[in-house]
Amino acid sequence: MPELITLEHKVLKRNDEIGANNRRLFQEQGIRVVNLISSPGAGKTSLLEATLRQIKGLIRVAVIEGDVQTDNDARRIAAFDIPVVQMVTNGVCHLDAQMIAESLHQLPLDEIDLLCIENVGNLVCPASYDLGEEAKVVVASTTEGDDKPEKYPAIFHRAKAMVINKIDLLPYVSCNLDLLSANALKVNPGLSIFPVSATTGEGIGSWCDWILQFSHSKRKDGS
């Protein structure tokens, strides 16, 4: 067991070093970066589509799509005529900083204000890997119930915002929206919460206001 722990520490240390390099590059280029994390099927890609419909033309957006297999999500985002890169992990349950570093060679960095990274569907592994992003955003869905923050506290603790997707399905699923929000705030009292429906568009405006404010706000380094 100690050998496994040592190996894990070495892997995460190397990842953090590359993540720090990514972050410096983003700062030099003036790019704000959001890392979207959720369980499979929570609706990250649908949320991105709904977001792009509102913010495209207001800021310059690019997307890195992470998936275990297929480029289905990247093709959906490419329909918005924005830069997009698909990273296929071939079974790995998360993106890492090296994957992001490699994908950046395929993006016009001097033409990007906001980079959205859609991570692989998983609430555990992506929480531990720094990609160089400024903000992790956890996407929950009403179809998953209201206890996810209690089961997977790490990602809710590290996120700056939580989007609760599929609120149009509340009448048909066992999910208490107030309880879900309360459970998340117990883990992270500073969490910004946005109930939305990527299908109907309800709540998307408030979420887009947050992402635009994030994109235009100054970094901690003052840039």
Side-chain angles (χ1 to χ4, degrees):
M1 181 63 71
E3 291 182 0
L4 291 176
I5 293 174
T6 299
L7 177 59
E8 181 181 3
H9 286 170
K10 287 182 178 178
V11 169
L12 289 175
K13 181 180 179 182
R14 178 56 180 158
N15 180 86
D16 288 348
E17 291 171 352
I18 300 172
N21 290 335
N22 290 344
R23 184 171 291 105
R24 281 192 290 271
L25 177 59
F26 295 141
Q27 291 174 350
E28 291 168 1
Q29 295 287 337
I31 300 172
R32 315 307 297 273
V33 185
V34 171
N35 182 5
L36 298 174
I37 297 171
S38 80
S39 302
K44 294 188 301 298
T45 309
S46 297
L47 175 66
L48 270 176
E49 290 174 318
T51 303
L52 289 169
R53 290 187 190 102
Q54 290 211 19
I55 70 173
K56 184 188 174 186
L58 300 177
I59 54 174
R60 300 173 299 175
V61 188
V63 174
I64 296 174
E65 286 285 347
D67 211 341
V68 173
Q69 293 290 340
T70 83
D71 64 348
N72 293 349
D73 293 343
R75 287 189 280 111
R76 288 169 61 180
I77 298 302
F80 289 87
D81 194 27
I82 64 169
V84 57
V85 177
Q86 177 75 61
M87 298 301 292
V88 176
T89 67
N90 293 311
V92 177
C93 62
H94 58 87
L95 294 174
D96 62 29
Q98 181 61 40
M99 295 177 190
I100 299 303
E102 292 171 2
S103 71
L104 297 180
H105 297 296
Q106 304 177 53
L107 292 172
L109 299 182
D110 58 346
E111 300 175 11
I112 299 170
D113 300 314
L114 173 68
L115 175 62
C116 295
I117 300 171
E118 181 180 340
N119 220 307
V120 178
N122 190 318
L123 283 176
V124 181
C125 298
S128 300
Y129 282 79
D130 176 21
L131 307 181
E133 77 276 16
E134 261 184 286
K136 287 180 171 65
V137 174
V138 60
V139 182
S141 70
T142 59
T143 54
E144 300 171 88
D146 42 44
D147 61 351
K148 282 295 184 288
E150 296 178 312
K151 289 185 173 182
Y152 306 98
I155 183 54
F156 290 88
H157 176 70
R158 293 170 182 167
K160 287 191 175 180
M162 174 176 72
V163 176
I164 305 174
N165 195 19
K166 305 184 183 181
I167 59 172
D168 53 303
L169 297 181
L170 279 170
Y172 314 106
V173 297
S174 179
C175 178
N176 183 311
L177 198 61
D178 291 336
L179 181 58
L180 173 55
S181 298
N183 285 337
L185 290 172
K186 285 180 186 176
V187 176
N188 183 353
L191 197 66
S192 298
I193 299 177
F194 302 95
V196 310
S197 168
T199 300
T200 68
E202 184 179 356
I204 292 294
S206 295
W207 154 247
C208 287
D209 287 343
W210 184 90
I211 203 73
L212 287 170
Q213 183 177 11
F214 166 81
S215 300
H216 294 308
S217 62
K218 289 186 177 182
R219 291 189 184 84
K220 291 181 181 179
D221 64 359
S223 62

